Amino acid sequence: MRLLHRSSSWRALFADEAHLDLAAWPALLDPLRAALERLGPHPDLAAAHAWQGELVSALDRLDLPAGRISQLLSDHNDWLYRRAIELSLSEMRAQGWGAPPAAFCVLVLGSGARDESLLAPDQDNAMIIADYPDARHTEIDGYFQSLGERFTARLDAAGIPLCQGHVMARFPMWRKRLSEWRAQIAIWTAERRIKRVQQANILLDFRPVFGEPALAEGLADRVAERLPAAHLFLDEMASLLDELPVALDRFGRLRGGDEEAPHERAINLKRQGLLPLVGAVRLLALRHGVRPPDTRTRLVALVMREAIAAERAEALSAALERLQGLILAEQRQALAEGRRPDGWVDASRLREDQRLLLRHDLREIRALLRRARRGG
Protein backbone atom coordinates (compact mmCIF):
# COMPACT_ATOMS: atom_id res chain seq x y z
CA MET A 1 0.00 0.00 0.00
CA ARG A 2 1.44 3.34 -1.00
CA LEU A 3 1.14 5.90 1.75
CA LEU A 4 2.27 9.44 2.40
CA HIS A 5 3.65 10.56 5.74
CA ARG A 6 3.56 14.17 6.81
CA SER A 7 3.85 14.44 10.57
CA SER A 8 1.57 17.46 10.59
CA SER A 9 -1.35 15.72 8.91
CA TRP A 10 -3.06 12.50 9.92
CA ARG A 11 -5.26 12.94 6.87
CA ALA A 12 -2.25 12.22 4.63
CA LEU A 13 -1.85 8.73 6.07
CA PHE A 14 -3.63 6.95 3.22
CA ALA A 15 -2.72 9.25 0.37
CA ASP A 16 -0.91 7.80 -2.65
CA GLU A 17 2.02 10.12 -3.31
CA ALA A 18 4.79 8.36 -1.37
CA HIS A 19 5.77 5.51 0.93
CA LEU A 20 5.78 5.80 4.69
CA ASP A 21 9.13 5.65 6.43
CA LEU A 22 7.90 3.65 9.42
CA ALA A 23 11.41 3.39 10.90
CA ALA A 24 11.54 7.16 11.32
CA TRP A 25 8.38 7.28 13.41
CA PRO A 26 8.72 8.09 17.13
CA ALA A 27 8.06 5.36 19.69
CA LEU A 28 4.77 7.06 20.54
CA LEU A 29 3.35 5.72 17.25
CA ASP A 30 4.40 2.10 17.87
CA PRO A 31 0.80 0.73 17.92
CA LEU A 32 0.10 2.15 14.46
CA ARG A 33 3.54 1.22 13.11
CA ALA A 34 3.03 -2.39 14.28
CA ALA A 35 -0.38 -2.53 12.65
CA LEU A 36 0.97 -1.23 9.34
CA GLU A 37 3.89 -3.63 9.43
CA ARG A 38 1.53 -6.58 9.95
CA LEU A 39 -0.54 -5.39 6.99
CA GLY A 40 2.51 -5.18 4.73
CA PRO A 41 3.28 -2.75 1.89
CA HIS A 42 1.20 -4.38 -0.86
CA PRO A 43 -1.94 -6.01 0.57
CA ASP A 44 -4.76 -7.13 -1.67
CA LEU A 45 -8.11 -5.43 -1.26
CA ALA A 46 -9.64 -8.11 0.96
CA ALA A 47 -6.67 -8.12 3.36
CA ALA A 48 -6.63 -4.33 3.51
CA HIS A 49 -10.33 -4.18 4.30
CA ALA A 50 -10.15 -6.94 6.92
CA TRP A 51 -7.33 -4.97 8.58
CA GLN A 52 -9.59 -2.03 9.47
CA GLY A 53 -10.49 -3.46 12.87
CA GLU A 54 -6.80 -3.57 13.76
CA LEU A 55 -6.41 -0.01 12.46
CA VAL A 56 -9.18 1.22 14.76
CA SER A 57 -7.64 -0.59 17.73
CA ALA A 58 -4.23 0.96 17.04
CA LEU A 59 -5.67 4.45 16.69
CA ASP A 60 -7.67 4.00 19.87
CA ARG A 61 -4.47 3.03 21.71
CA LEU A 62 -2.99 6.31 20.49
CA ASP A 63 -5.93 8.04 22.19
CA LEU A 64 -7.21 9.58 18.96
CA PRO A 65 -10.77 10.89 19.28
CA ALA A 66 -13.54 8.92 17.59
CA GLY A 67 -14.12 11.66 15.03
CA ARG A 68 -10.51 11.47 13.86
CA ILE A 69 -10.66 7.68 13.72
CA SER A 70 -13.81 7.95 11.63
CA GLN A 71 -12.05 10.33 9.25
CA LEU A 72 -9.13 7.92 8.87
CA LEU A 73 -11.50 5.02 8.22
CA SER A 74 -13.06 7.16 5.48
CA ASP A 75 -9.59 7.86 4.06
CA HIS A 76 -8.76 4.15 4.08
CA ASN A 77 -12.04 3.34 2.33
CA ASP A 78 -11.12 5.98 -0.25
CA TRP A 79 -7.84 4.10 -0.80
CA LEU A 80 -9.80 0.88 -1.32
CA TYR A 81 -12.02 2.64 -3.86
CA ARG A 82 -9.09 4.11 -5.75
CA ARG A 83 -7.30 0.78 -5.85
CA ALA A 84 -10.42 -1.06 -7.04
CA ILE A 85 -10.92 1.50 -9.81
CA GLU A 86 -7.25 1.41 -10.85
CA LEU A 87 -7.30 -2.40 -11.03
CA SER A 88 -10.49 -2.30 -13.07
CA LEU A 89 -9.09 0.24 -15.52
CA SER A 90 -5.90 -1.82 -15.93
CA GLU A 91 -7.96 -4.94 -16.59
CA MET A 92 -10.06 -3.13 -19.19
CA ARG A 93 -6.96 -1.87 -20.99
CA ALA A 94 -5.54 -5.40 -21.02
CA GLN A 95 -8.77 -6.66 -22.56
CA GLY A 96 -8.71 -4.07 -25.33
CA TRP A 97 -11.15 -1.50 -23.99
CA GLY A 98 -8.50 1.22 -24.14
CA ALA A 99 -8.37 4.38 -22.07
CA PRO A 100 -11.54 6.01 -20.73
CA PRO A 101 -13.31 7.68 -23.69
CA ALA A 102 -14.32 10.74 -21.65
CA ALA A 103 -13.39 12.45 -18.40
CA PHE A 104 -15.21 11.01 -15.41
CA CYS A 105 -15.44 11.25 -11.65
CA VAL A 106 -16.46 8.58 -9.16
CA LEU A 107 -18.25 9.91 -6.10
CA VAL A 108 -18.57 8.39 -2.66
CA LEU A 109 -21.88 9.14 -0.99
CA GLY A 110 -23.24 9.13 2.54
CA SER A 111 -21.03 8.67 5.58
CA GLY A 112 -17.92 8.17 3.43
CA ALA A 113 -18.47 11.51 1.74
CA ARG A 114 -18.94 13.13 5.16
CA ASP A 115 -15.66 11.57 6.44
CA GLU A 116 -17.78 9.86 9.10
CA SER A 117 -17.28 6.19 8.23
CA LEU A 118 -17.62 3.50 10.85
CA LEU A 119 -16.72 -0.17 10.45
CA ALA A 120 -18.54 -2.43 7.95
CA PRO A 121 -20.30 0.07 5.63
CA ASP A 122 -21.86 -1.07 2.38
CA GLN A 123 -21.27 0.69 -0.94
CA ASP A 124 -22.84 4.03 -1.82
CA ASN A 125 -21.31 5.56 -4.93
CA ALA A 126 -22.10 7.34 -8.17
CA MET A 127 -20.35 8.49 -11.34
CA ILE A 128 -20.31 11.74 -13.29
CA ILE A 129 -19.19 11.60 -16.93
CA ALA A 130 -18.19 14.67 -18.92
CA ASP A 131 -20.78 15.61 -21.52
CA TYR A 132 -20.49 13.86 -24.88
CA PRO A 133 -22.66 13.69 -28.04
CA ASP A 134 -25.76 11.48 -27.85
CA ALA A 135 -24.53 9.61 -30.91
CA ARG A 136 -21.68 8.16 -28.84
CA HIS A 137 -23.84 7.08 -25.91
CA THR A 138 -23.69 3.33 -26.52
CA GLU A 139 -19.92 3.41 -26.88
CA ILE A 140 -19.10 5.73 -24.00
CA ASP A 141 -21.72 4.67 -21.47
CA GLY A 142 -20.94 1.03 -22.24
CA TYR A 143 -17.35 1.63 -21.19
CA PHE A 144 -18.34 3.27 -17.90
CA GLN A 145 -21.01 0.70 -17.19
CA SER A 146 -18.33 -1.97 -17.41
CA LEU A 147 -16.02 0.07 -15.20
CA GLY A 148 -18.78 0.56 -12.63
CA GLU A 149 -19.62 -3.14 -12.59
CA ARG A 150 -15.97 -4.12 -12.21
CA PHE A 151 -14.92 -1.81 -9.40
CA THR A 152 -18.08 -2.38 -7.36
CA ALA A 153 -17.64 -6.14 -7.77
CA ARG A 154 -14.05 -5.84 -6.55
CA LEU A 155 -15.14 -3.88 -3.50
CA ASP A 156 -17.85 -6.44 -2.79
CA ALA A 157 -15.34 -9.29 -3.00
CA ALA A 158 -13.05 -7.35 -0.64
CA GLY A 159 -15.76 -7.09 2.01
CA ILE A 160 -17.59 -3.84 1.22
CA PRO A 161 -20.98 -5.23 0.18
CA LEU A 162 -22.99 -4.11 -2.81
CA CYS A 163 -25.70 -1.63 -1.85
CA GLN A 164 -29.02 -3.40 -1.44
CA GLY A 165 -30.74 -0.23 -2.64
CA HIS A 166 -28.69 -0.27 -5.88
CA VAL A 167 -27.03 3.09 -5.16
CA MET A 168 -23.91 2.37 -7.20
CA ALA A 169 -22.24 3.56 -10.39
CA ARG A 170 -22.97 0.21 -12.06
CA PHE A 171 -26.60 1.35 -12.49
CA PRO A 172 -27.74 4.08 -14.95
CA MET A 173 -29.65 5.90 -12.20
CA TRP A 174 -26.34 6.68 -10.51
CA ARG A 175 -24.15 7.05 -13.63
CA LYS A 176 -24.86 10.10 -15.77
CA ARG A 177 -23.31 12.89 -17.79
CA LEU A 178 -22.84 16.13 -15.89
CA SER A 179 -25.68 17.80 -17.82
CA GLU A 180 -27.93 14.87 -16.95
CA TRP A 181 -27.03 15.14 -13.27
CA ARG A 182 -27.80 18.86 -13.37
CA ALA A 183 -31.18 18.11 -14.95
CA GLN A 184 -31.79 15.35 -12.40
CA ILE A 185 -31.25 17.78 -9.53
CA ALA A 186 -33.78 20.13 -11.13
CA ILE A 187 -36.33 17.32 -11.45
CA TRP A 188 -35.85 16.03 -7.91
CA THR A 189 -36.15 19.48 -6.33
CA ALA A 190 -39.00 20.86 -8.45
CA GLU A 191 -41.82 19.56 -6.27
CA ARG A 192 -42.72 17.81 -3.05
CA ARG A 193 -42.53 14.07 -3.72
CA ILE A 194 -41.34 11.66 -1.06
CA LYS A 195 -39.48 9.31 -3.42
CA ARG A 196 -37.60 12.15 -5.09
CA VAL A 197 -36.59 13.64 -1.74
CA GLN A 198 -35.38 10.23 -0.57
CA GLN A 199 -33.28 9.78 -3.70
CA ALA A 200 -31.85 13.28 -3.47
CA ASN A 201 -31.04 12.75 0.21
CA ILE A 202 -28.78 9.89 -0.83
CA LEU A 203 -26.91 12.03 -3.36
CA LEU A 204 -26.61 15.30 -1.47
CA ASP A 205 -23.71 14.12 0.68
CA PHE A 206 -21.10 13.45 -2.01
CA ARG A 207 -17.38 13.82 -2.53
CA PRO A 208 -15.04 12.92 -5.43
CA VAL A 209 -12.83 9.88 -4.80
CA PHE A 210 -11.37 9.21 -8.27
CA GLY A 211 -11.16 11.03 -11.59
CA GLU A 212 -11.76 14.66 -12.53
CA PRO A 213 -12.83 16.64 -9.42
CA ALA A 214 -14.07 19.56 -11.55
CA LEU A 215 -17.05 17.40 -12.52
CA ALA A 216 -17.99 17.02 -8.85
CA GLU A 217 -17.55 20.76 -8.40
CA GLY A 218 -19.95 21.31 -11.31
CA LEU A 219 -22.57 19.18 -9.58
CA ALA A 220 -21.97 21.00 -6.28
CA ASP A 221 -22.56 24.30 -8.11
CA ARG A 222 -25.93 23.01 -9.30
CA VAL A 223 -26.92 21.93 -5.80
CA ALA A 224 -25.93 25.31 -4.34
CA GLU A 225 -27.86 27.06 -7.09
CA ARG A 226 -31.10 25.06 -6.76
CA LEU A 227 -31.55 23.89 -3.19
CA PRO A 228 -31.88 27.04 -1.05
CA ALA A 229 -34.88 28.18 -3.13
CA ALA A 230 -36.50 24.71 -3.45
CA HIS A 231 -38.93 25.36 -0.61
CA LEU A 232 -41.44 22.58 -1.31
CA PHE A 233 -38.64 20.05 -1.64
CA LEU A 234 -37.02 21.21 1.62
CA ASP A 235 -40.39 21.11 3.38
CA GLU A 236 -40.76 17.47 2.38
CA MET A 237 -37.21 16.77 3.53
CA ALA A 238 -38.17 18.30 6.88
CA SER A 239 -41.25 16.08 7.15
CA LEU A 240 -39.12 12.99 6.50
CA LEU A 241 -37.15 13.78 9.65
CA ASP A 242 -40.16 12.38 11.53
CA GLU A 243 -39.00 8.96 10.34
CA LEU A 244 -35.76 9.41 12.33
CA PRO A 245 -36.81 9.52 16.00
CA VAL A 246 -34.07 9.61 18.61
CA ALA A 247 -33.65 6.82 21.17
CA LEU A 248 -35.58 8.58 23.96
CA ASP A 249 -39.09 8.08 25.27
CA ARG A 250 -41.35 11.05 26.05
CA PHE A 251 -39.90 11.25 29.55
CA GLY A 252 -36.35 11.58 28.21
CA ARG A 253 -35.31 8.03 29.12
CA LEU A 254 -33.18 5.85 26.84
CA ARG A 255 -35.20 3.43 24.76
CA GLY A 256 -34.61 1.25 21.72
CA GLY A 257 -38.10 0.66 20.40
CA ASP A 258 -36.93 -1.23 17.33
CA GLU A 259 -38.48 -4.55 16.32
CA GLU A 260 -35.18 -5.61 14.75
CA ALA A 261 -33.26 -5.23 18.02
CA PRO A 262 -31.04 -8.26 18.73
CA HIS A 263 -31.98 -8.08 22.43
CA GLU A 264 -34.02 -5.88 24.77
CA ARG A 265 -31.03 -3.78 25.88
CA ALA A 266 -29.98 -2.90 22.31
CA ILE A 267 -30.25 0.64 20.97
CA ASN A 268 -29.55 1.38 17.32
CA LEU A 269 -27.48 4.52 17.85
CA LYS A 270 -26.79 4.83 14.15
CA ARG A 271 -30.48 4.92 13.22
CA GLN A 272 -31.71 6.64 16.40
CA GLY A 273 -28.81 9.00 17.01
CA LEU A 274 -26.36 9.61 14.19
CA LEU A 275 -28.83 9.67 11.29
CA PRO A 276 -31.24 12.16 12.93
CA LEU A 277 -28.30 14.46 13.72
CA VAL A 278 -26.81 14.17 10.24
CA GLY A 279 -30.20 14.61 8.55
CA ALA A 280 -31.14 17.72 10.51
CA VAL A 281 -27.75 19.35 9.93
CA ARG A 282 -27.93 18.48 6.22
CA LEU A 283 -31.34 20.15 5.92
CA LEU A 284 -30.14 23.32 7.63
CA ALA A 285 -27.01 23.35 5.47
CA LEU A 286 -29.04 23.08 2.27
CA ARG A 287 -31.37 25.87 3.35
CA HIS A 288 -28.43 28.18 4.02
CA GLY A 289 -26.29 27.29 0.99
CA VAL A 290 -23.56 25.47 2.93
CA ARG A 291 -21.51 23.37 0.51
CA PRO A 292 -19.17 21.05 2.48
CA PRO A 293 -20.69 17.59 3.04
CA ASP A 294 -19.33 16.73 6.48
CA THR A 295 -21.40 17.41 9.57
CA ARG A 296 -18.73 19.18 11.61
CA THR A 297 -17.84 21.64 8.86
CA ARG A 298 -21.53 22.21 8.16
CA LEU A 299 -22.05 23.15 11.81
CA VAL A 300 -19.16 25.63 11.68
CA ALA A 301 -20.51 27.16 8.47
CA LEU A 302 -24.01 27.44 9.96
CA VAL A 303 -22.54 29.37 12.89
CA MET A 304 -20.75 31.70 10.45
CA ARG A 305 -24.09 32.31 8.70
CA GLU A 306 -25.73 32.97 12.08
CA ALA A 307 -28.15 30.12 11.41
CA ILE A 308 -27.24 28.38 14.65
CA ALA A 309 -25.64 29.53 17.90
CA ALA A 310 -22.02 28.66 18.48
CA GLU A 311 -22.85 26.97 21.79
CA ARG A 312 -25.45 24.75 20.13
CA ALA A 313 -23.06 23.82 17.31
CA GLU A 314 -20.36 22.93 19.84
CA ALA A 315 -22.80 20.74 21.78
CA LEU A 316 -23.90 18.95 18.60
CA SER A 317 -20.32 18.41 17.47
CA ALA A 318 -19.55 16.90 20.87
CA ALA A 319 -22.64 14.71 20.59
CA LEU A 320 -21.46 13.45 17.20
CA GLU A 321 -18.05 12.65 18.68
CA ARG A 322 -19.53 10.67 21.57
CA LEU A 323 -22.01 8.78 19.39
CA GLN A 324 -19.22 7.74 17.03
CA GLY A 325 -17.14 6.65 20.02
CA LEU A 326 -19.92 4.49 21.48
CA ILE A 327 -20.65 2.82 18.16
CA LEU A 328 -16.99 2.21 17.32
CA ALA A 329 -16.42 0.65 20.76
CA GLU A 330 -19.37 -1.69 20.21
CA GLN A 331 -18.15 -2.52 16.70
CA ARG A 332 -14.73 -3.47 18.03
CA GLN A 333 -16.46 -5.72 20.56
CA ALA A 334 -18.43 -7.33 17.75
CA LEU A 335 -15.22 -8.07 15.82
CA ALA A 336 -13.64 -9.57 18.94
CA GLU A 337 -16.69 -11.86 19.30
CA GLY A 338 -16.66 -12.84 15.61
CA ARG A 339 -19.78 -10.84 14.74
CA ARG A 340 -20.27 -8.38 11.88
CA PRO A 341 -20.16 -4.79 13.19
CA ASP A 342 -23.39 -2.80 13.00
CA GLY A 343 -25.03 0.26 14.55
CA TRP A 344 -26.40 -1.42 17.70
CA VAL A 345 -25.10 -0.54 21.16
CA ASP A 346 -25.78 -2.64 24.28
CA ALA A 347 -27.05 -0.09 26.81
CA SER A 348 -26.26 -2.43 29.72
CA ARG A 349 -22.53 -2.03 28.94
CA LEU A 350 -22.60 1.73 29.34
CA ARG A 351 -21.29 3.35 32.49
CA GLU A 352 -23.64 5.67 34.33
CA ASP A 353 -21.76 8.76 33.13
CA GLN A 354 -22.01 7.49 29.54
CA ARG A 355 -25.75 6.97 29.92
CA LEU A 356 -26.21 10.48 31.31
CA LEU A 357 -24.17 12.02 28.48
CA LEU A 358 -26.03 9.95 25.90
CA ARG A 359 -29.38 11.18 27.20
CA HIS A 360 -28.05 14.75 27.09
CA ASP A 361 -26.79 14.34 23.53
CA LEU A 362 -30.03 12.80 22.31
CA ARG A 363 -32.02 15.66 23.85
CA GLU A 364 -29.80 18.10 21.95
CA ILE A 365 -30.43 16.19 18.73
CA ARG A 366 -34.18 16.08 19.37
CA ALA A 367 -34.20 19.86 19.88
CA LEU A 368 -32.29 20.27 16.60
CA LEU A 369 -34.82 18.08 14.79
CA ARG A 370 -37.65 20.29 16.04
CA ARG A 371 -35.84 23.40 14.83
CA ALA A 372 -35.08 21.88 11.43
CA ARG A 373 -38.72 20.84 10.97
CA ARG A 374 -39.87 24.40 11.75
CA GLY A 375 -37.66 25.86 9.06
CA GLY A 376 -34.38 26.47 10.88
Side-chain angles (χ1 to χ4, degrees):
M1 182 185 299
R2 293 192 302 145
L3 304 171
L4 172 67
H5 173 54
R6 293 200 307 267
S7 60
S8 62
S9 177
W10 283 100
R11 300 304 303 277
L13 186 60
F14 298 111
D16 290 332
E17 289 85 349
H19 294 278
L20 289 175
D21 182 8
L22 298 181
W25 283 14
L28 178 66
L29 297 178
D30 279 351
L32 182 56
R33 173 170 36 222
L36 288 165
E37 287 173 345
R38 282 190 290 273
L39 178 66
H42 304 292
D44 62 28
L45 290 177
H49 179 259
W51 173 77
Q52 285 191 342
E54 187 172 353
L55 170 65
V56 171
S57 295
L59 296 173
D60 184 68
R61 288 179 62 192
L62 294 177
D63 202 28
L64 263 66
R68 178 67 75 197
I69 294 174
S70 185
Q71 289 175 334
L72 292 173
L73 276 175
S74 300
D75 292 344
H76 188 253
N77 284 329
D78 284 358
W79 182 88
L80 293 170
Y81 262 84
R82 293 194 301 271
R83 185 61 179 148
I85 296 167
E86 289 165 352
L87 289 170
S88 299
L89 287 170
S90 294
E91 180 180 73
M92 292 178 72
R93 290 189 185 96
Q95 293 176 353
W97 287 78
F104 72 101
C105 182
V106 175
L107 308 175
V108 289
L109 312 178
S111 60
R114 297 190 303 271
D115 290 331
E116 296 165 11
S117 293
L118 301 170
L119 291 168
D122 63 0
Q123 294 186 47
D124 287 306
N125 53 71
M127 188 185 297
I128 309 172
I129 306 168
D131 287 333
Y132 55 80
D134 289 344
R136 297 189 64 194
H137 179 74
T138 300
E139 167 206 351
I140 294 179
D141 189 64
Y143 182 100
F144 291 112
Q145 177 181 341
S146 182
L147 175 60
E149 289 172 349
R150 290 168 193 249
F151 85 75
T152 55
R154 278 189 161 85
L155 291 172
D156 181 55
I160 305 179
L162 298 173
C163 175
Q164 295 302 303
H166 299 160
V167 182
M168 293 175 290
R170 58 167 49 204
F171 297 109
M173 178 70 182
W174 301 97
R175 184 186 68 252
K176 303 179 190 294
R177 287 173 281 188
L178 178 58
S179 59
E180 292 170 325
W181 275 119
R182 291 172 61 87
Q184 186 71 72
I185 292 293
I187 292 169
W188 278 344
T189 60
E191 50 192 327
R192 184 170 182 164
R193 291 195 185 181
I194 292 176
K195 185 63 176 177
R196 289 180 177 177
V197 175
Q198 290 172 331
Q199 290 170 326
N201 256 337
I202 296 169
L203 176 70
L204 289 172
D205 295 347
F206 69 87
R207 180 171 53 77
V209 70
F210 189 96
E212 178 49 65
L215 293 169
E217 189 64 23
L219 182 58
D221 289 343
R222 183 60 160 175
V223 170
E225 169 191 310
R226 289 284 305 188
L227 267 294
H231 302 298
L232 291 176
F233 172 88
L234 293 175
D235 287 346
E236 185 61 34
M237 185 180 287
S239 71
L240 289 178
L241 292 177
D242 291 333
E243 299 179 5
L244 298 171
V246 299
L248 293 173
D249 65 17
R250 63 195 184 98
F251 300 108
R253 298 173 300 199
L254 293 176
R255 68 168 179 84
D258 196 313
E259 295 179 355
E260 301 175 4
H263 51 78
E264 63 181 10
R265 305 175 307 280
I267 299 175
N268 193 326
L269 279 189
K270 178 179 178 182
R271 184 183 302 167
Q272 295 179 278
L274 279 181
L275 291 184
L277 171 56
V278 166
V281 173
R282 178 194 301 119
L283 175 56
L284 291 172
L286 292 171
R287 280 183 173 143
H288 293 277
V290 173
R291 293 175 68 126
D294 64 289
T295 304
R296 290 176 176 84
T297 305
R298 281 172 166 168
L299 285 168
V300 172
L302 287 168
V303 171
M304 298 298 292
R305 285 165 170 75
E306 300 183 346
I308 189 171
E311 296 80 5
R312 175 59 56 84
E314 185 177 354
L316 292 168
S317 184
L320 174 60
E321 181 77 34
R322 286 190 284 264
L323 287 172
Q324 289 175 318
L326 291 174
I327 296 173
L328 280 170
E330 193 76 16
Q331 290 184 331
R332 288 178 60 198
Q333 182 69 28
L335 288 175
E337 296 173 358
R339 297 182 286 112
R340 180 175 173 80
D342 53 34
W344 295 96
V345 168
D346 187 342
S348 68
R349 292 178 177 170
L350 301 181
R351 302 186 309 269
E352 183 60 24
D353 62 315
Q354 290 177 311
R355 294 172 65 87
L356 289 171
L357 279 171
L358 178 56
R359 288 171 59 191
H360 168 78
D361 291 340
L362 293 175
R363 285 194 295 268
E364 289 284 345
I365 295 169
R366 187 159 63 182
L368 179 70
L369 286 167
R370 292 185 183 126
R371 175 172 184 169
R373 291 188 193 104
R374 291 196 306 265

